[in-house]
Amino acid sequence: MRKAHSLIFIDAFINLGLGLLLIFFPDSLVHMLGIPPAESAFYPSILGAVLFGIGLALILTWLRRDAGGLGLGGAIAINLCAGIVLALWLVAGNLELPLRGSLFLWAIVALLVGISLTELIASRSGRH
């Protein structure tokens, strides 16, 4: 159990670090690493948000000293990270989307945040 607990901690910080790098996806890093550039940082940053959420979920697991799984708290962390970064892209990302694309992505934000709030309320009331 102790070794698994340590691995969860290490995995959490790997995911948090990779997530942050991808959320911001700086051109200088892309050039330095020699990896293919993206036309837009939209998809890499969404992936980064999910990785960051997984890292937060692993931290929650590590704090509980539970190696059994991410649980409801983990699901909340992952969904909120992805939803928040997507919302930030929609507000400040100059995506130039057609109305249907914008509505679709806002619906995803609403779904991710809505399910997270429902899970949070359920976990607080003991009905999970």
Side-chain angles (χ1 to χ4, degrees):
M1 175 72 173
R2 184 176 174 110
K3 187 173 189 175
H5 189 68
S6 297
L7 288 173
I8 288 171
F9 184 78
I10 293 166
D11 192 2
F13 279 93
I14 290 170
N15 277 280
L16 290 170
L18 289 173
L20 281 175
L21 279 176
L22 286 170
I23 286 171
F24 297 106
F25 201 65
D27 289 334
S28 58
L29 179 65
V30 172
H31 180 67
M32 181 185 75
L33 294 175
I35 57 177
E39 186 176 314
S40 165
F42 177 76
Y43 291 111
S45 70
I46 297 299
L47 173 60
V50 172
L51 287 173
F52 192 83
I54 291 169
L56 290 177
L58 288 167
I59 289 291
L60 292 173
T61 299
W62 180 77
L63 289 172
R64 286 192 326 255
R65 297 195 166 278
D66 175 19
L70 298 179
L72 197 55
I76 293 167
I78 294 165
N79 289 335
L80 279 180
C81 283
I84 289 168
V85 169
L86 180 53
L88 288 171
W89 264 104
L90 291 168
V91 169
N94 298 320
L95 294 177
E96 299 179 21
L97 298 171
L99 179 61
R100 69 182 180 279
S102 184
L103 291 174
F104 175 71
L105 292 176
W106 276 113
I108 291 173
V109 169
L111 182 66
L112 290 171
V113 172
I115 191 65
S116 295
L117 292 175
T118 302
E119 290 168 339
L120 186 60
I121 291 167
S123 70
R124 295 285 183 224
S125 66
R127 288 182 285 138
H128 54 90

